[in-house]
Amino acid sequence: MPVGVLALLLLAACSDERPLPQALLHEIDAAPRKVVPAPLRSPAPAPATYLGAEYRSPFSLPAPKLKLRVGPPSNVRPNPARKREPLERFALGTLRLAGFVEQGGTLFALVQPPEGGIARVIVGSHLGRNHGRVVRLSGAGLDIVEIVPDGSGAWMERWRHMKPAGDG
């Protein structure tokens, strides 16, 4: 098909045969109106009886469960008279074990607090907010015993391990 014929067909297809907006509005106004039926009425809901009155409200705390302690009472408790060490200001999870150094035959762990710097830690040093005490130092990390409340007014020991930075 020659290009000229194709151009004429395209120009013919682009002619403006749409009615003017005013004419279109008059045509819409003249069209017969349809009646919209009223919405169906649904039956009134049957009253429901609340059956959860005998259960605890979800907005009140449950009654505490009594724990029966087996064996003698624990003598574990923090020493309030002990002077707190600088690394006890930080949560244990925010401290980073940067590495180890041996000096004068003593192995020190290098612990970095979140504010920066490095602190030397040995067995017996305290760190973390839960009265944590270092009980073992090795290339695998630090073993720490924390003294935490057991939920019944007493205290218990919780063992934690801190791996060197870079170990998954």
Side-chain angles (χ1 to χ4, degrees), residues 114-163:
E115 65 187 17
I118 295 285
R120 294 188 320 174
V121 173
I122 60 172
V123 172
S125 295
H126 290 85
L127 63 159
R129 292 188 179 147
N130 291 318
H131 314 283
R133 180 176 40 86
V134 176
V135 292
R136 191 170 73 85
L137 221 100
S138 71
L142 299 178
D143 287 331
I144 301 161
V145 174
E146 294 182 308
I147 301 174
V148 294
D150 72 352
S152 65
W155 297 88
M156 66 181 216
E157 290 183 336
R158 176 173 65 188
W159 287 79
R160 302 284 301 267
H161 182 77
M162 184 184 293
K163 293 181 182 178

Side-chain angles (χ1 to χ4, degrees), residues 107-120:
L107 183 65
F108 292 93
L110 303 175
V111 176
Q112 184 177 24
E115 65 187 17
I118 295 285
R120 294 188 320 174

Side-chain angles (χ1 to χ4, degrees), residues 19 34 47 69 85 87 97 101 103 114 118-119 124 130 136 153:
K34 293 182 182 178
R69 192 182 308 265
E85 295 180 28
L87 291 178
L97 180 55
V101 66
Q103 188 176 24
I118 295 285
N130 291 318
R136 191 170 73 85

Side-chain angles (χ1 to χ4, degrees), residues 6 17 24 42 51 55 63 66 100 103 122 127-128 139 144 162 168:
L6 187 59
E17 294 182 12
L24 185 59
S42 59
L51 302 174
Y55 299 111
L66 297 176
F100 300 94
Q103 188 176 24
I122 60 172
L127 63 159
I144 301 161
M162 184 184 293

